[in-house]
Amino acid sequence: MAASKVQFRELESDLIQVSGELTRNSLVDERLLNQQIENVQSVRYFDLSEVSRVDTAGLAWLIHSLGKLQQQGKRLELKNIPDQLHNLMALGQVSNLFE
């Protein structure tokens, strides 16, 4: 099975549009993922309106990114969270991490 694609597009200096799938199959390039949270001034916004599918690996990556930024005294905020991700966050009782 071919790896699914996740894409990141910088809309503004602090706003990244995430599109495609945030899944175990799409989150294979650690270097690409880490670039999305480097060089953040104080807050980075991820617009998730174009995310078509998300699984627990996608949620884990978001939590990992949040933790890395918090260690640097920065924030990660999510915009337009898909219902599938809301459900995973509720099941994992981690919704409050992104408030």
Side-chain angles (χ1 to χ4, degrees):
M1 171 158 63
S4 303
K5 296 287 185 198
V6 61
Q7 296 179 328
F8 301 93
R9 186 167 60 119
E10 189 170 44
L11 300 178
E12 297 172 20
S13 63
D14 63 348
L15 177 61
I16 300 291
Q17 182 177 54
V18 183
S19 61
E21 296 185 0
L22 280 176
T23 65
R24 176 179 56 88
N25 293 328
S26 67
L27 298 172
V28 293
D29 187 350
E30 186 88 20
R31 193 175 86 292
L32 170 68
L33 297 174
N34 289 335
Q35 286 175 354
Q36 303 312 313
I37 59 172
E38 291 174 0
N39 304 321
V40 175
Q41 297 304 318
S42 61
V43 64
R44 168 119 318 169
Y45 297 94
F46 281 174
D47 177 355
L48 304 177
S49 61
E50 299 296 318
V51 170
S52 58
R53 187 166 173 265
V54 63
D55 66 9
T56 54
L59 176 58
W61 175 73
L62 289 169
I63 292 169
H64 173 76
S65 298
L66 174 70
K68 283 186 91 160
L69 288 172
Q70 284 179 335
Q71 287 174 349
Q72 302 168 19
K74 301 173 184 175
R75 291 190 348 229
L76 172 64
E77 293 189 17
L78 306 178
K79 295 183 173 289
N80 304 310
I81 300 171
D83 289 340
Q84 191 176 32
L85 180 56
H86 269 298
N87 293 338
L88 285 174
M89 291 166 71
L91 283 171
Q93 299 179 350
V94 296
S95 299
N96 61 322
L97 294 177
F98 294 97
E99 291 178 348

